[in-house]
Amino acid sequence: MDSKFPNQLFPHFYLDGPPDVKSKHSYGGWGSYERVFAVNAGPCDGDQSSIQHVFESQHTLSGEEWVPVKPAVTPLIPPNEDAKASSGVLPDPRDFPEHMQYFYQRHCMDAFSTMGHLLQDNLSFKKKQPKDVMSMRWANSFIKGLNYKRCELACYSMKIRHLHHLVGDIVSDVPPSLLASLLHEELTSQREQKRFCADATGGALGYVPLHESRGYSDGCLIYPSGGAMDKLNIHRVVQQFCDDKPPSFVMDSQPFVYYLNGTVRQISLANMEDVGNVAVRSDYFCGVWLLGDKTKPLLMDVIQTKDRFSCITVSPHLPNELAVVNERGAAYLWTVKKGLQKFREEDSNLYFNAKSPWRWCEFSSHPRVMVYADRTGAELTDMRSADSNHTLFRIGRTAACMSGERVILAKYLSKSHAHHHLINTQFSTYVMDERVPSVPMLKWDHMMESPPMFACDLPAQTPRQTCKLLLGAQRSQELMLLQYTGGREHVCQTRGSIQKLLSPKESLSHLNLLLPHKRHLAQKRLNVPAAGFTAVQKKDYLSVFQLTETGDIFYQTLKLHTDQTASNNDAPEQSVSVQPTVETGESENMQSHTDNDDQSVQSDSETEGRRAALRHLEVIDNVDNDDLNTLDTNENIRKEPSNHLIGNNPSCSSIPPNPSKDPDLQAAWNKWFKPIFKKAKKRHPNFRRIRTDYLKGMMGKKLNKPKEDRLMRLRKDLQEVMRKKEMLLHGVTYLPHLNVTPVPDPVDPDDWPDDVSQRLAASWEGQWTFWWEEKLGLNRDKKIAALRRKRRRAKQAKARNRTSLSGSFTSSVSYQESLSGLSTVGSQCLGSGDETLENSSSQATDMEEWRARPEIHSKSPIILRRFLNEQSTAEKSFGSPRKSPTRPDQDLLTSPSSIQVERPASRTPSVAAGMDLNPPASLPSTRPTTVQSKRRKEFYLSSLPTSQISTQDPAPDGGYSSQRVRLSSPTPSHRSLSSQRVPQFRSLSQASQPKKKSRMGF
Amino acid sequence: MDDIETELNIAAAAADSREDEGRNHVPIKPAVLLHQSHPDPRGLFTAADFLKSNRKCLNLIREAMLRHNWQEAACYFSSYIQTLEVQTLSQVFPASEITWRLGTEILHHVPNSSIDDFNAFYEQLKNFGVRNYSKICLEHCFHLLLNKQMDEAKRQLSIADSWRYGKQSTAQSLMKKLIRAYCGYLDYLIWSEKKPSAPDSEEAGNNHEMRTYFRQASVTLKDIVSQPGVWDPFVLSYIHMLEFYEDEEAALQVLENYAYNKEFPLNPNAHVYLYQFLKRHQAPQAKLIGSLRILHSLVPSHELMLELCSLLMHTKQKSDREEALAVSMDLLEFSSWKCDMKAWKCLLEIMNKLKKKKCMDAVKKEWDVRRSLWLSLHYRSYNGRKDSRENVQLLMVKRDVLRITDENNREYFRIALKIERESKPKKERLRKRKERMVTKVKEKKKKTLND
């Protein structure tokens, strides 16, 4: 059937040239149909074209639904005891000083021994030393000086500096500069290596089915173990399955073990006939075993070279035939016991220089045609004739590649379709048909975090089912399930959207909480990169085995969710879904005896993150958010806090709360963790413990009855409250009253009238820009507009109230006047500011001028203050309409901030409330200040025209550089100060004028 | 400022609130405001916080979608939509594409989403970032097509076709070409729907309308077909129309260009279409063989190779017969044909014919080249056992082929014999055995004579 070819392919551009699209996001795998065509169109069935056209898309929506049976992966074999789990943190090359420090401190003999020997004769630690030997007394201070790590030169002792200059570059055996650069290089390469290590491509885990009968099937799991992953294990597994239960795996007691001379990098398997080949790749050698149902595994052949191998593949067509490639680019056909036959050698990359020695080799549908791949693409090479290569895939615009995209893995999908090949890049997955080279039949954006280095194909078991592709990543342990159909009579189509399967590192969140140090250990162990995976499908169950770099194997089982199962089993797929509901999240916290904050423990598991986020979504109900913008939405939320989340998330209601965790799973994990924790314990015999047992005992004995009752009740209350998602108030409980320490008096910004404090106060309230605008007068136009609007409104209101014609007439006159006055303000205020600043340079001033020319008030603050002090008594006697200030200077200097009329509204209410509650007796209350500010505002505005007039006469030296003006312009508060100060006097004299009164409405 | 923001909020929320409408009749929930979920210590909200929570939200959506928790994803998505209002223009482009992709996927999987929801969603996002305009238009059209709204799809496509927006439209040139092509394709589909209503005799009546559709479709299809690429549906439809109007020369030209132009990718269908066209129009046999020969050089595993063999066998030339042998043996080397009865029978037929014509040296020559491969590929004892289990007929055919080549593969013969014995009644078996004994004795005699 594989010989058929679809009679129509989806339209596709064929373009030359390198890719030019940059990847912008990794969400490309969703929401697209890609291409569409009508199935029953065309000349062949043109006669039936009266029926409506049926369209098919390249990406289709419906696929098989696979649901994990358990919420987390299950360990299959006991942990690999020799393995060392490296921390998942990538080494940072910029950390090299710390590494150097560590080296100098912990390996001082290696670092300084040579020089130490040389200096031995001339330095001594003894107190009494011969004359020519230096004592170590100064050396002590020397060492003390070394503690000052920050700055070596500004040092403790002169001697160090001298010594440093003298011997700094020779005292260590390896010159620090050389060592540092080498270390940096090494760390960089280590980081690269850790992030992406191509050696493991292909994966080192295999499953060979051997024998099948009713109820169980026999197979072999092949995996490496040991500290360096150099033990090859061939382990028999019996898979038992009943109709309605997921299959279970029973491992043989002892595997066949082979000790190899290097780390197992890749395991490749052939189709099993009676016997089958198992090929193992290590860096410098490869081996082939023969595996059969009835026989012991048999080592067939080993090859060894000086060049590293990068790939080994067992032929799916012929037994005892393999293909190997080394990093020099030579590809060989290896016939077991007959030796290698080179069929291709490339000393450069295929299509462009990708600077990568990685090569790959796969078989194709013809036993003598091979796929030769590197980072830039893949070619089909015919072994029978030289130079008959043609492109199967290349990184380029035809495949719609991104720039920087590289081939990560190529795989011949012999089981799914005889002509199909899988090409993985870090962004996408392609299915290529070798009959239509270079145009992908299918393309997915797999959306994985790290590139997929492992792949596994599961053929469709019946023609109606889908072919499944599983992709595995190394570092992130991700596993993706992709489904597609077609390639024969029908064109290839993807089915459903990509599904992510469980990975070992997420499993902790589905188990009982561990003590922090154990949790840390477990996390470290589970977070290691993956080293391979394999999958087995049995009817409606799909089992996936995952191997991590520490040699641990985990498995998970997925069940095909069909309509039938839905009707059989009332609970929808969510009953076994991974998603934890909020309830379980909380109950889990309750159960846990450790007071462990999930969020503080850094956890990679995203389910946990999701739970935290869900919690957060709820918490928002209680967030007291007084930003005007959100006030209404918050009110809405508050109205229906109980169903807020449910309303937004309908699945919550449909999902039954996750039942208590799977006990089998927990038991399996507990068993698995045991040796790990035990080993860790051995390693730290001096672990300091604080005994708390007696505390517990005391509590049990000495608690009297009522107290216990109270606690019980409190506990119950707490649970109740948590269920209802409410708040528990202290007053409701029966606890003893708390000693409420009063909140310290709030700082009144008016107490701190200086500019900096005012600015800080403004910026604390988020009004920093506004303050500056206010200060610089940038928002004057706006204010004027506002004022004008207000006037107009007031006028209209008045006009409505007023009955007499004359009244309206006067008011309109005053309005006109005020308008004309204001219109000049905007243009002239800046000018006046400049001039006052210029004035400030002239020192000849006296009290008369102070009174006459208000602008000069903005001179130096000292003068101003002196003046004000003198004036304080005078002001009192004036009997100003405002309150009599005890500290007039403070009162005046606050004005720049209090000029913001809108400010009280924007202040956070908590502060405002606090101020309202406890008005400090000594300070002026806030309310008067607002009134004041209003008044001042009005004075300020009214004074502007006059000030403008008066500024025209002074300033004979207008030739000041503009730069200076600009520099000093950020402090024009003096101007407003002056303008407020003066009207105070003027208002007294002009108080009777009706014109001013009309402005009071502001 | 605030007013604008709230207005925008409403506008954006309208898109996703629509999806809720049908589902539950509780009042529509306001979205959780992302940029206000994380107040800083002072109780204020900053842009950095927004970005942080935004990223977190996106991760949660991604995680939920990858786990197929569509409802949960929908819940988060309604909050994520705010990204569109907050970010600057340069950030909006990826954000709008992400929103479109996530949103459509969620809509596809959330129950009770109607076609109107989709239309509204596509419309909104199409115009959000102009850089995706063409792509989203095309996807929208596909969606309508799949939901059997061809007229609406046609309308959408023509809107998209006439769209111009500065440099953006040139940047989307490929998409525009595709849109144009699909325009033509839809024209063709309409044409082909109307075609039977205008039979050849009454062509005059509907002629005008049909002609306009034909003209529209052919112009655009001709355009796209000359572009390098895989255009199977377009080529088929174009050829269909040309054939209908009996413009065979143009059709042939198009097909030949599609199959033989060096700039086009290798596409077996192009050769198949050409071959079928030639066959329909009674092309001479040599031409048919020629076209299939080219296909053989490119895709030796194609199923038309069987046809090539039979064509070659019908010519009287010896070289053609030998070629047929090579073609059929090539075919059988591919794993997809390994167990195919038809191919084996074809090979057997060719061999028998060659044997009859006394061309055994050709068979011998061909066999010697392939002997080692064939013995391990087809005649392992495992193959024999497998064939005996699954397909006895095949076993026999394979045995006969082996016999013709004079190969002495005892294992395979033994299995075949065993099966034969089991399957056939005793008498017949005995008779056959006698016959065989006779032939074998003869052969032996020959051999001894030869020796």
Side-chain angles (χ1 to χ4, degrees), chain A residues 606-708:
Chain A
E606 45 294 274
T607 41
E608 216 170 79
R610 184 195 310 156
R611 195 191 304 150
L614 276 177
R615 245 181 255 151
H616 189 90
L617 283 179
E618 279 185 315
V619 168
I620 205 162
D621 299 357
N622 304 329
V623 167
D624 215 336
N625 196 337
D626 285 80
D627 209 331
L628 282 172
N629 190 23
T630 56
L631 204 63
D632 46 350
T633 56
N634 275 333
E635 261 165 20
N636 284 346
I637 293 168
R638 269 193 217 107
K639 269 178 213 158
E640 31 206 6
S642 56
N643 62 352
H644 159 241
L645 186 77
I646 295 161
N648 252 353
N649 184 359
S651 68
C652 266
S653 51
S654 66
I655 299 174
N658 212 357
S660 62
K661 287 163 196 151
D662 197 332
D664 297 342
L665 186 74
Q666 182 66 45
W669 274 99
N670 283 347
K671 205 175 145 197
W672 190 82
F673 279 136
K674 219 173 202 173
I676 294 179
F677 295 152
K678 211 172 181 182
K679 199 177 163 197
K681 220 178 220 174
K682 258 184 235 160
R683 219 178 274 163
H684 304 286
N686 299 329
F687 185 69
R688 230 184 116 194
R689 280 161 125 193
I690 299 169
R691 302 202 67 93
T692 53
D693 306 349
Y694 66 96
L695 280 176
K696 266 190 221 162
M698 216 165 69
M699 295 243 301
K701 270 175 216 160
K702 293 204 175 169
L703 269 182
N704 45 5
K705 190 87 174 138
K707 212 169 188 180
E708 209 169 333

Side-chain angles (χ1 to χ4, degrees), chain A residues 830-884:
Chain A
L830 253 176
S832 70
D834 291 351
E835 282 175 33
T836 51
L837 281 165
E838 282 157 16
N839 281 344
S840 68
S841 63
S842 74
Q843 290 296 322
T845 49
D846 57 17
M847 296 314 264
E848 269 77 55
E849 268 191 45
W850 266 101
R851 279 162 201 262
R853 298 225 311 264
E855 307 79 30
I856 305 173
H857 289 219
S858 63
K859 276 185 177 172
S860 83
I862 303 159
I863 299 171
L864 178 68
R865 203 155 299 164
R866 199 182 60 206
F867 165 68
L868 288 169
N869 284 337
E870 286 167 7
Q871 279 297 307
S872 60
T873 44
E875 207 166 318
K876 255 185 206 164
S877 62
F878 273 132
S880 77
R882 304 176 299 142
K883 54 146 191 147
S884 56

Side-chain angles (χ1 to χ4, degrees), chain B residues 116-162:
Chain B
D116 293 337
D117 299 337
F118 278 100
N119 285 341
F121 193 74
Y122 276 120
E123 279 303 330
Q124 291 233 341
L125 282 161
K126 201 185 284 184
N127 295 311
F128 210 98
V130 278
R131 283 190 235 187
N132 286 320
Y133 187 84
S134 300
K135 206 195 243 167
I136 299 180
C137 270
L138 199 58
E139 289 287 336
H140 189 186
C141 161
F142 289 163
H143 182 80
L144 291 168
L145 284 178
L146 289 170
N147 286 290
K148 298 178 182 163
Q149 299 192 345
M150 209 158 96
D151 301 336
E152 179 63 19
K154 180 86 186 42
R155 203 178 63 81
Q156 283 291 342
L157 266 191
S158 46
I159 292 170
D161 190 28
S162 56

